[in-house]
Amino acid sequence: MAEYIEEVLSTVKAKNPNEPEFHQAVQEVFDTLKPVLERHPEYRSACILERIVEPERIVIFRVPWMDDSGRIRINRGYRVQMNSAIGPYKGGLRFHPSVTLSILKFLAFEQIFKNSLTTLPLGAGKGGSDFDPKGKSDNEVMRFCQSFMTELYRHIGTDIDVPAGDIGVGTREIGYLFGQYKRLTREFNGVLTGKGLNWGGSLIRPEATGFGVVYFAEEMLKTRNTNLEGKIVAVSGFGNVAWGAVIKVNQLGGKVVTLSGPDGFVYDPDGVKGEKIDFMLQLRASARDEVRPYAEKFKASFYEGKRPWCIKVDVALPCATQNELDENDAKELVKNGCICVTEGANMPCTLDAVKVFLEAGILYAPGKAANAGGVATSGLEMSQNSMRLPWPKEEVDTRLRQIMQNIHRTCVETAERYGVPGNYLAGANIAGFVKVANAMLDQGLV
Ligand code: NDP
Ligand code: 2IT
């Protein structure tokens, strides 16, 4: 079986050259699938691996727009429609200069397993653009979003593909995208999630990813008879996911001592709490791409060009971006006594870093399980839109918490069933995979 997996992986690398992030995401999943393929020879005969790595469809398009000085700018737009075996394509849009097809394919691939774990009927997709929101005016962002949607609208729909936010795409961008969609189609529907709360958005969706990460971390800690009360926590990033995570860590009695940005990290031993959490929203809205102003405002230490993993903490929550925590960072965390690493971002830890955590026997959970609360709450937003009935905050939060507890239980039980107890990575990959693979079998050769 190992040879079969290796063979498909080499084909993926050969057929998709120059896509290192996509190769990494596929390898990380494939490395854990041997036991399930041995137990289910039907997956191999139906070529499920070969099929699951091939996006059902990719749309690439030109996005022309005019900046405030009247200059014409051209960006590239993408939507990767990865897998619709268990529901309409679902996944975020990322606006960041680092966006390439490789990044979006890795994210869309991860989304297959994540969305499957949520227990909701959500297929997988991802999209975005190499547009750089940094330093852009509100009008420029609006014109860009309108141009982006002028092409995208014909490829999406409530039962076809439902995009949402990701890096660089928050409520403001979803608003401009939705406005243009409505203008082009004359339909007011739930085609995007993460909408404004007064026009169809779900309560708790802005906080959901970060809240979910922390609910998941709490479940992990319970397996070692402890919890977040009194724990020192390192968070990276200062965006949407980091913000939600910081709020929830505070509520559960932990203390967050770091935040980070592309410019470096902040160390605040007094804890990121109260008005400091609100300041995170200002930092993000300023579109300056820097976390340094936090250190200046609250007299915390700032480490230029460094990452927060050298600080002694009990729990680490990487919430910024892919490959932001490498093997050396992982060794440093373990050496300093960290007992739990729960991924808020998608694939923030390199393959070598994950190996360090697994070998050290500390708690480690991949983003596809731990950050699934965001897309799960998007799924709840879709339900509310279909019913045309908003749910109160408490109801959404209770459902979110239950979903995260279910995902945790599924990971633990699946890992045990397949002979790798305590391995959340294998548990998440196998459980996510089996559901989608079975749906693909049921639906014939499509
Ligand atoms: P935001 O745009 O709100 O924040 C992104 C954060 O990451 C910012 O702090 C950003 O800084 C930082 N960042 C981005 N690129 C880099 C880089 N190359 N180097 C260092 N820091 C960087 O995005 P989100 O909080 O929504 O997303 C964060 C992570 O969580 C991503 O991996 C995303 O895929 C994942 N995620 C998001 C979900 C959601 O619902 N929003 C759901 C599940 C996962 P700056 O913007 O200044 O560059
Ligand atoms: O990575 C992710 O799961 C997201 N960016 C959220 C996707 C969604 O559709 O809510």
Side-chain angles (χ1 to χ4, degrees):
M1 197 52 71
E3 306 85 73
Y4 164 59
I5 296 175
E6 202 45 54
E7 197 184 296
V8 183
L9 185 61
S10 330
T11 312
V12 168
K13 290 182 178 166
K15 268 178 91 170
N16 305 278
N18 308 317
E19 295 186 1
E21 294 85 3
F22 180 54
H23 302 168
Q24 181 183 342
V26 172
Q27 178 168 354
E28 185 244 75
V29 171
F30 278 17
D31 280 351
T32 58
L33 290 185
K34 192 162 156 271
V36 76
L37 292 169
E38 275 166 358
R39 262 185 229 185
H40 296 275
E42 66 274 23
Y43 296 150
R44 183 177 179 173
S45 3
C47 288
I48 295 293
L49 289 192
E50 292 89 330
R51 284 156 65 188
I52 211 165
V53 294
E54 200 63 52
E56 290 179 14
R57 185 177 304 102
I58 300 179
V59 191
I60 302 184
F61 50 98
R62 179 204 296 162
V63 189
W65 57 282
M66 196 172 277
D67 71 17
D68 288 344
S69 69
R71 208 177 113 205
I72 291 171
R73 307 276 199 116
I74 313 293
N75 284 100
R76 188 171 288 174
Y78 306 83
R79 186 70 184 165
V80 179
Q81 297 184 330
M82 196 74 195
N83 194 300
S84 62
I86 60 168
Y89 309 110
K90 181 84 195 90
L93 296 171
R94 177 177 290 195
F95 293 168
H96 197 272
S98 63
V99 163
T100 58
L101 192 55
S102 173
I103 299 269
L104 296 178
K105 279 172 69 180
F106 114 64
L107 290 163
F109 187 71
E110 290 277 287
Q111 206 83 40
I112 301 176
F113 310 96
K114 181 194 309 196
N115 292 5
S116 166
L117 285 167
T118 64
T119 69
L120 302 174
L122 302 170
K126 200 85 189 189
S129 173
D130 57 359
F131 173 76
D132 188 357
K134 185 175 168 182
K136 299 290 185 299
S137 72
D138 205 46
N139 279 327
E140 288 175 329
V141 171
M142 179 177 74
R143 286 197 292 273
F144 173 80
C145 288
Q146 289 179 340
S147 182
F148 185 87
M149 186 52 87
T150 301
E151 174 58 36
L152 186 68
Y153 88 96
R154 63 186 88 245
H155 308 289
I156 60 176
T158 47
D159 296 319
I160 302 171
D161 184 350
V162 183
D166 192 79
I167 292 181
V169 178
T171 312
R172 175 182 63 162
E173 290 74 19
I174 294 291
Y176 295 146
L177 292 163
F178 184 79
Q180 186 72 351
Y181 178 87
K182 193 164 51 109
R183 214 170 155 202
L184 291 164
T185 61
R186 299 177 299 135
E187 282 188 20
F188 192 113
N189 63 33
V191 69
L192 293 160
T193 58
K195 296 185 289 300
L197 299 181
N198 48 349
W199 47 275
S202 174
L203 288 161
I204 299 289
R205 176 63 188 91
E207 297 89 343
T209 311
F211 276 21
V213 171
V214 178
Y215 289 148
F216 199 94
E218 185 83 343
E219 292 302 307
M220 294 168 80
L221 290 168
K222 269 195 214 162
T223 67
R224 306 261 164 118
N225 300 316
T226 182
N227 57 33
L228 273 164
E229 183 78 44
K231 295 282 184 303
I232 306 296
V233 182
V235 169
S236 64
F238 62 93
N240 172 263
V241 179
W243 168 75
V246 172
I247 296 175
K248 191 48 79 178
V249 169
N250 274 276
Q251 284 175 5
L252 297 183
K255 190 207 268 190
V256 175
V257 295
T258 67
L259 295 176
S260 75
D263 53 334
F265 83 91
V266 164
Y267 176 51
D268 185 353
D270 288 341
V272 183
K273 56 187 177 201
E275 58 160 339
K276 298 176 181 175
I277 303 179
D278 301 333
F279 188 67
M280 290 173 74
L281 295 175
Q282 285 180 43
L283 271 183
R284 184 155 170 267
S286 72
R288 276 178 55 196
D289 237 4
E290 293 176 336
V291 76
R292 184 200 290 265
Y294 177 103
E296 286 159 3
K297 187 169 167 69
F298 299 112
K299 312 264 172 298
S301 322
F302 178 70
Y303 295 81
E304 187 158 0
K306 296 257 170 7
R307 301 193 278 212
W309 317 123
C310 51
I311 300 293
K312 185 173 163 46
V313 292
D314 304 305
V315 175
L317 307 177
C319 293
T321 193
Q322 64 277 349
N323 293 328
E324 52 157 322
L325 195 163
D326 65 17
E327 186 181 6
N328 287 334
D329 298 323
K331 285 182 177 157
E332 190 79 3
L333 280 169
V334 171
K335 191 183 86 197
N336 283 332
C338 176
I339 55 167
C340 176
V341 179
T342 309
E343 294 185 347
N346 288 308
M347 210 170 74
C349 300
T350 63
L351 292 173
D352 289 335
V354 173
K355 219 165 138 213
V356 171
F357 297 140
L358 294 179
E359 280 171 11
I362 70 163
L363 294 164
Y364 160 76
K368 61 175 78 85
N371 74 29
V375 73
T377 308
S378 279
L380 301 179
E381 183 170 327
M382 289 163 74
S383 305
Q384 295 169 75
N385 291 166
S386 296
M387 291 190 299
R388 299 184 191 283
L389 268 184
W391 290 332
K393 201 165 151 181
E394 296 69 28
E395 173 155 7
V396 181
D397 195 24
T398 304
R399 285 177 186 263
L400 168 63
R401 192 167 197 154
Q402 280 165 354
I403 288 172
M404 297 317 295
Q405 289 169 341
N406 276 338
I407 298 176
H408 180 271
R409 195 174 332 109
T410 301
C411 290
V412 169
E413 288 174 1
T414 308
E416 264 167 28
R417 198 164 340 117
Y418 284 89
V420 275
N423 186 331
Y424 286 87
L425 180 63
N429 287 343
I430 295 173
F433 173 80
V434 166
K435 182 174 170 192
V436 174
N438 288 342
M440 288 170 78
L441 287 181
D442 291 346
Q443 292 169 26
L445 192 50
V446 287

